[in-house]
Amino acid sequence: MDLNMIITWEQISNFLLYLVTTLGLIGAGLGIFLIITPYKEMKLIKEGASPDITKANAGLASAHDLGGKMIGLCVVLASAIYHSANLVELLLWGLVAIAAQIITYYLFGWITPFKVAKEIQMGNVSVAILGSRLSVGCSLIIAALIS
């Protein structure tokens, strides 16, 4: 058996430290998004099973929007993990990445000729999908900038 192929306890503990740190950063990023958005995503998502088409669409729109933010956070954090030499660097890059995603969220609201939050609450799935894709697209650029 090749000794280079054996996973050591040090590698496992390092994996677990990075995993817990990254999950904490994802939780913090999503928590910030849940606080700064003027509507309650989880409430809208829960009400998405309603027979009321407006509530159903609002739930779908909210799920798209929040899902895009989460994917965006995961993409930038994956890059932060890859480029970090240690846990402190991961935390710093993770915080920079979260801040950049939040700035992206506010820029989207600022550059559109309509109120994004209002449109999502009204069930405009198209706006939510656009916001979702913007989050993911910008996260790819942000991820490439992390080095």
Side-chain angles (χ1 to χ4, degrees):
M1 181 185 300
D2 184 6
L3 292 178
N4 292 328
M5 298 301 290
I6 297 174
I7 297 174
T8 66
W9 285 110
E10 181 181 353
Q11 291 169 317
I12 291 171
S13 64
N14 193 42
F15 165 81
L16 292 173
L17 280 171
Y18 273 74
L19 177 64
V20 168
T21 301
T22 304
L23 291 175
L25 287 166
I26 291 169
L30 285 176
I32 291 168
F33 277 122
L34 291 171
I35 291 168
I36 65 175
T37 52
Y39 52 91
K40 304 294 179 211
E41 290 96 333
M42 295 304 179
K43 180 177 183 261
L44 292 176
I45 292 169
K46 182 180 178 187
E47 292 174 350
S50 171
D52 178 345
I53 192 70
T54 301
K55 285 185 177 183
N57 284 341
L60 184 59
S62 186
H64 273 292
D65 188 52
L66 187 60
K69 290 171 186 169
M70 182 168 173
I71 293 169
L73 286 171
C74 289
V75 167
V76 293
L77 289 173
S79 180
I81 292 166
Y82 183 78
H83 290 97
S84 296
N86 55 52
L87 213 51
V88 173
E89 279 188 22
L90 170 59
L91 280 168
L92 292 174
W93 278 120
L95 294 173
V96 167
I98 290 169
Q101 285 294 99
I102 291 169
I103 290 168
T104 299
Y105 165 76
Y106 280 116
L107 284 175
F108 177 54
W110 183 62
I111 64 171
T112 56
F114 46 82
K115 301 289 183 201
V116 173
K118 183 178 178 186
E119 292 295 321
I120 290 173
Q121 290 177 83
M122 292 182 348
N124 190 335
V125 178
S126 300
V127 169
I129 290 173
L130 178 61
S132 170
R133 300 320 187 264
L134 180 71
S135 290
V136 173
C138 287
S139 75
L140 293 169
I141 293 168
I142 295 163
L145 294 171
I146 294 175
S147 58

